[in-house]
Amino acid sequence: MTTHTLSVLVQDHPGVLTRVASLFSRRGFNIESLAVGPTEKEGVSRMTLVTVVDDERFVEQLVKQLNKLVEVLKVLELPESSVCREMILVKVRCDNTNRSSVIDVVSLFRGKAVDVGLTSVTIEATGSHDKLEALLTMLEPYGVIELVKSGQVALGRGQKSINEKRARV
């Protein structure tokens, strides 16, 4: 099983997300992570999709099927060397005796406390999937009350852009 990150430029129209997600579902693929947001071009959004497949040919099939969708402007499979980040918000149990220990752990991961209460602290951190998993492992002994992670966002390294080649309009 291999993980693949797809960067998909789409027209910013209602229902595009549903059509893309349905394409994955109809073909029996799970979307491990999904993030959607506006790009530098008005009316164009970028979807970053992460999926796990057991055969490389399935990724090629997904890319071809995505390209057939009318609203899809461009699909690019990002290499493993791409810059990939997620964000996490996690609420951890703490009190006066261990609050500074929790904050110390968070600072090791370059995170920050965004809300402090008498019995909990809410942490914000960004980084790779592995980094955030390591942070969670370190926070588990204190007691994780709740957490939420964003989907992965990713860009290829260097000066090259997904916009360099002509996109289908």
Side-chain angles (χ1 to χ4, degrees), residues 2-27:
T2 56
T3 302
H4 298 270
T5 303
L6 301 177
S7 186
V8 184
L9 292 181
V10 297
Q11 295 173 348
D12 193 10
H13 294 161
V16 174
L17 176 60
T18 301
R19 284 187 276 289
V20 169
S22 294
L23 185 144
F24 276 74
S25 176
R26 282 192 313 269
R27 291 182 178 47

Side-chain angles (χ1 to χ4, degrees), residues 116-168:
V116 179
L118 293 174
T119 59
S120 68
V121 61
T122 301
I123 307 305
E124 172 190 316
T126 59
S128 68
H129 177 78
D130 293 340
K131 174 185 170 183
L132 297 182
E133 289 300 314
L135 171 62
L136 285 175
T137 299
M138 296 295 291
L139 292 175
E140 279 178 11
Y142 298 101
V144 173
I145 299 169
E146 64 180 330
L147 69 87
V148 62
K149 288 173 84 175
S150 71
Q152 177 177 284
V153 293
L155 288 175
R157 293 192 180 274
Q159 191 173 340
K160 267 186 132 175
S161 165
I162 192 172
N163 296 313
E164 281 188 10
K165 290 185 181 174
R166 179 173 149 68
R168 188 172 57 125

Side-chain angles (χ1 to χ4, degrees), residues 16-163:
V16 174
L17 176 60
T18 301
R19 284 187 276 289
V20 169
S22 294
L23 185 144
F24 276 74
S25 176
R26 282 192 313 269
R27 291 182 178 47
F29 295 108
N30 189 36
I31 297 173
E32 298 288 322
S33 172
L34 170 66
V36 183
T39 66
E40 68 283 357
K41 293 184 180 180
E42 189 171 329
V44 176
S45 292
R46 180 188 304 258
M47 293 182 178
T48 306
L49 298 122
V50 178
T51 189
V52 177
V53 298
D54 55 3
D55 188 337
E56 300 297 317
R57 292 175 293 177
F58 293 139
V59 176
E60 292 174 25
Q61 179 187 16
L62 277 172
V63 169
K64 288 176 184 175
Q65 293 295 318
L66 284 167
N67 275 313
K68 288 181 181 180
L69 296 177
V70 174
E71 296 91 349
V72 171
L73 303 173
K74 181 125 184 221
V75 181
L76 179 66
E77 182 180 359
L78 295 172
E80 285 186 38
S81 64
S82 298
V83 178
C84 303
R85 297 290 182 267
E86 297 178 8
M87 184 185 83
I88 189 169
L89 291 173
V90 58
K91 190 180 296 183
V92 180
R93 276 186 184 53
C94 67
D95 55 29
N96 290 337
T97 62
N98 65 0
R99 185 172 293 109
S100 61
S101 298
V102 170
I103 301 298
D104 287 344
V105 167
V106 171
S107 67
L108 287 173
F109 289 86
R110 294 192 184 120
K112 61 183 177 181
V114 293
D115 183 59
V116 179
L118 293 174
T119 59
S120 68
V121 61
T122 301
I123 307 305
E124 172 190 316
T126 59
S128 68
H129 177 78
D130 293 340
K131 174 185 170 183
L132 297 182
E133 289 300 314
L135 171 62
L136 285 175
T137 299
M138 296 295 291
L139 292 175
E140 279 178 11
Y142 298 101
V144 173
I145 299 169
E146 64 180 330
L147 69 87
V148 62
K149 288 173 84 175
S150 71
Q152 177 177 284
V153 293
L155 288 175
R157 293 192 180 274
Q159 191 173 340
K160 267 186 132 175
S161 165
I162 192 172
N163 296 313

